[in-house]
Amino acid sequence: MLTDFVKSIPPEKEAMKAELKTEREKLANASMKIKGAKLPVMVIFEGWGAAGKGSVIASVIKNIDPRFFEVATTHAEPTVEEKRKPFLYRYFIEIPEAGQFKFFDTCWMREVTDGILDGTLSEQDYARRVQSINITERQLTDNGYLVMKFFFNISKKEQSKRLNALLADKNTKWRVNKDDIWENAHYKESQKVYDKYLSDTNRSTAPWYIIDAKDKEWAELQVLRFLNQGIDTALKNHSLAVPILQNAFPLKQMPLLKDIPLDKSLTDEEYKAELKLLQARLHDLHYKLYRKKIPVIIAYEGWDAAGKGGNIKRITGALDPRGYVVHPIASPEPHEKARHYLWRFWKRLPKTGHVAIFDRTWYGRVMVERLEGFCSENDWQRAYNEMNEFEKELYDWGAVIIKFWVQIDNQTQLQRFTDRQNTPEKQWKITDEDWRNREKWDLYEGAVNDMIQKTSTAFAPWHILESVDKKYARIKALRIVISELEKACKER
Amino acid sequence: MLTDFVKSIPPEKEAMKAELKTEREKLANASMKIKGAKLPVMVIFEGWGAAGKGSVIASVIKNIDPRFFEVATTHAEPTVEEKRKPFLYRYFIEIPEAGQFKFFDTCWMREVTDGILDGTLSEQDYARRVQSINITERQLTDNGYLVMKFFFNISKKEQSKRLNALLADKNTKWRVNKDDIWENAHYKESQKVYDKYLSDTNRSTAPWYIIDAKDKEWAELQVLRFLNQGIDTALKNHSLAVPILQNAFPLKQMPLLKDIPLDKSLTDEEYKAELKLLQARLHDLHYKLYRKKIPVIIAYEGWDAAGKGGNIKRITGALDPRGYVVHPIASPEPHEKARHYLWRFWKRLPKTGHVAIFDRTWYGRVMVERLEGFCSENDWQRAYNEMNEFEKELYDWGAVIIKFWVQIDNQTQLQRFTDRQNTPEKQWKITDEDWRNREKWDLYEGAVNDMIQKTSTAFAPWHILESVDKKYARIKALRIVISELEKACKER
């Protein structure tokens, strides 16, 4: 890529001044348009030390009203806390909201190329991170984000000249760090690594723009040209449906809901005895996975009144409260709705060694959001693959992912609803909305079947909990959780 | 990828039989649907020698009416003639037509990985080919193709067992070639190369499916499952507009047509003298580029009656007839319309050392096809980038690409039309359609401006030929051709 770079042709001095003026005005106007179109714009600056990224960012943002942009606060190095999350976590939580620019002075590229250069990242981990980055950039684009990536390129000689000039002045000396000096001394080696990364992540949905950064004004003009072009294109695409991707994950064959026998049950005695034994085992396992730093994600979906809450309690009852969180998921708040729909789940990911239990999940996208029209048809059709990719990302990070569908039949729900209605201390549990949803049972059943068929991947399949007898469902859940955690503890 | 492969879970023997039956029927039905939807389906089989690709292809096609599929006839090794074309040529000309399956028993992967394994392909050329392949697979998908890629995976031990079994029987012995034996002896080395290729070309628009090929029936079932899923998805996507890509190529700033002064002219004496000199130089250059094996593509577009034909004659007048072809481009024929719109131009690419002159070109997509509604808005909007990519591919191959826009003003066209109408021997040159097009002058002018602005890349910019004085335009064209060819001859 770098080597492949076709030389840029800067305009003459006067023409440059005139064009800079035009392009700056274009950007000022564009920022109103992206607000109107609710387009989120992620602008990533990477490149050589002392190539002038910071000063071009400073010039570019002067054209935008401060209400319409933010500069990301990501550090070059992840903190100790951040190291206990998936690699992308600290970047993904920074994505802009709809109608806003977010500028990144280095982003996920820097961490990856640094890892290669200082030898802390294996070839295999490099390949995995490149894959994660490519999937994430594509998912952002598919979900209506504009992702612009600039690489500021200068020669070894030019970099050396700039570093020396900075070092010579006591007011600017502090701006040169030892990484910059190392990079210049190992220019060729670094170039090879950057080159490879640029080519590995040069996808058509989020291509790299190599900026010839020898001259500051020309660098700014190149950035403005590409940024304005990119915004034009993104605004044109904004209302378009995105082609659905082919499924590329091995899937487990799953039964349809109607074919699942629901007559399984346990006696009270069986239940009590089993519960005690299993909770004790899970209790011990929890410490083991804490020591082995295995992150665990347990996802619950199911019919209203199927018994999710009670089921979750039997799991958490066995866990050390310092090591788990239950996330009840309601409809998204405005600041959540303004971002990629998985953003609020990224924010809630557990640290390594911890358990996160989701009471309702990201699968809302293909159930309630699908059926109530809270997202477009294209959005939910795309979501099966996006959620498989999301879970693959977590699986590759090392997470154990357990997904439960808590299943009851229509008649059982009616009984439980009626019981709730008629029992004063249970009345808070039943709302008009529950009754309205109930009327759409058949539609929901279709959506759930689609979901289970399309997202039972080999690495994160659905488990059905037959919950007409809640006791049976609780014991089955405990057994599955224990078996999955034991498997994971054995493998690490 | 291979290493990353999540183990497949085959169903039990009986369930497998039943599912095979269902999936085969699904495919039989699907082939009628793809006919109806005019969906072209490209199915690529790659994998280890003796992994059973051929026999699965044989089983799969049994479910499809012979009118609806073809098996590609590409050889493993390119012929001498094919080596004088761009790498992708011999594959691209084989793409299926709308409504048909085309099965490839190995395709572009094989040639690339073989090149790495036998040391004939440099790292840089590998990177370039991977890029070409990725762009091509994406372009095919964007243009409504379904591209399915299967890699048949078996272990070293399994491969060795199969090869030995084949060798032991005198009736099958011939099926084992020395490449298979080499591959088995260098399994690890080959695996690394395949792995890298699979990961380098695993794009979301055309993902790889790793087929666990240990058992023949299970391999077929996996192929059928993914193929049927892929067809379902493609049929859903078929009418969708595809998001336009951001421009990622450095562009040359170009004037608008209205700002181009057209008062340039030459006297007859100047013209004759120059013409003689320049044609003599071009004549010599032609042999030089033939010896240096440089392919040359000269593309002419321009207003009706602008003088394209006469201009081309002054170029060809200087060339050895054995070394050039002029391709007059009219509207596409049905078999051309049924394929990617660049297919008919791929078929007309010159050999190395030869000159192809196009009298009208692929840019018809963004002029007549745009304005007459012969393609969708999404199609022509996407085409600017697709044509830049096409030309970059040719440029990387080593071609010199010269694009001329032959410019006259509206008044000059009227004079020439009237003159044609009133001169019996010129009347064949003017049709009612010319007059109808003339009425749309302003629309065409807008389309031409868009085209020139968006496709004047640094590697293949447009050159304007001011042709109110045809003599001036001819001399200018000769000068540009000579200068570009001299530059190219000097560089090689």
Side-chain angles (χ1 to χ4, degrees), chain B residues 40-57:
Chain B
V41 184
M42 185 164 174
V43 192
I44 299 173
F45 289 78
E46 303 275 4
W48 297 95
K53 298 185 293 290
S55 86
V56 168
I57 294 179

Side-chain angles (χ1 to χ4, degrees), chain B residues 29-45:
Chain B
N29 292 330
S31 54
M32 306 305 293
K33 283 190 211 150
I34 72 152
K35 193 79 192 165
K38 297 196 173 172
L39 176 73
V41 184
M42 185 164 174
V43 192
I44 299 173
F45 289 78

Side-chain angles (χ1 to χ4, degrees), chain A residues 138 203 209 229 237 244 247, chain B residues 203 209 229 237 244 247:
Chain A
R138 197 215 72 235
R203 300 298 166 108
Y209 297 97
Q229 274 180 25
N237 285 336
I244 306 301
N247 165 53
Chain B
R203 300 298 166 106
Y209 298 96
Q229 275 180 23
N237 285 336
I244 305 301
N247 165 54

Side-chain angles (χ1 to χ4, degrees), chain B residues 116-273:
Chain B
I116 289 287
L117 286 169
D118 65 19
T120 53
L121 197 67
S122 72
E123 216 176 292
Q124 202 185 347
D125 283 339
Y126 170 83
R128 200 173 276 165
R129 291 197 173 175
V130 161
Q131 198 182 25
S132 306
I133 290 168
N134 282 327
I135 286 176
T136 303
E137 293 180 356
R138 197 215 72 236
Q139 269 207 20
L140 287 170
T141 310
D142 285 356
N143 282 278
Y145 280 69
L146 169 61
V147 181
M148 300 289 300
K149 306 185 298 193
F150 298 110
F151 185 87
F152 274 51
N153 196 34
I154 48 174
S155 67
K156 178 172 182 168
K157 213 169 125 189
E158 176 69 21
Q159 190 185 35
S160 158
K161 205 178 84 188
R162 292 190 188 184
L163 292 176
N164 287 332
L166 288 169
L167 286 170
D169 182 338
K170 68 174 191 300
N171 293 319
T172 57
K173 206 174 159 180
W174 63 274
R175 286 173 54 191
V176 178
N177 64 37
K178 66 178 196 307
D179 287 351
D180 295 330
I181 292 169
W182 189 94
E183 192 187 52
N184 191 252
H186 300 78
Y187 186 93
K188 274 239 155 155
E189 185 187 343
S190 307
Q191 188 179 34
K192 215 179 146 192
V193 170
Y194 299 158
D195 222 77
K196 179 160 167 42
Y197 178 89
L198 294 174
S199 122
D200 287 343
T201 56
N202 193 37
R203 300 298 166 106
S204 42
T205 43
W208 276 103
Y209 298 96
I210 311 291
I211 302 299
D212 174 359
K214 198 173 171 189
D215 174 82
K216 199 197 155 230
E217 285 200 322
W218 175 222
E220 186 190 342
L221 179 54
Q222 291 169 80
V223 167
L224 286 170
R225 270 191 195 168
F226 284 123
L227 193 52
N228 283 324
Q229 275 180 23
I231 292 172
D232 273 354
T233 307
L235 288 171
K236 269 186 207 142
N237 285 336
H238 210 47
S239 56
L240 279 188
V242 178
I244 305 301
L245 300 175
Q246 303 163 41
N247 165 54
F249 296 108
L251 295 175
K252 199 174 147 186
Q253 296 294 101
M254 294 291 288
L256 296 176
L257 290 188
K258 69 174 171 53
D259 297 330
I260 297 169
L262 290 174
D263 54 356
K264 291 161 181 169
S265 67
L266 291 177
T267 65
D268 282 2
E269 291 68 40
E270 286 171 326
Y271 172 65
K272 276 181 192 156

Side-chain angles (χ1 to χ4, degrees), chain A residues 275-288:
Chain A
L275 184 66
K276 207 177 155 190
L277 275 171
L278 293 173
Q279 286 194 329
R281 268 170 76 189
L282 181 54
H283 185 79
D284 292 345
L285 264 173
H286 191 204
Y287 290 112
K288 211 162 174 182

Side-chain angles (χ1 to χ4, degrees), chain A residues 87-99:
Chain A
F87 159 66
L88 283 172
Y89 170 81
R90 68 197 193 102
Y91 305 104
F92 200 89
I93 60 171
E94 288 272 357
I95 58 170
E97 61 176 273

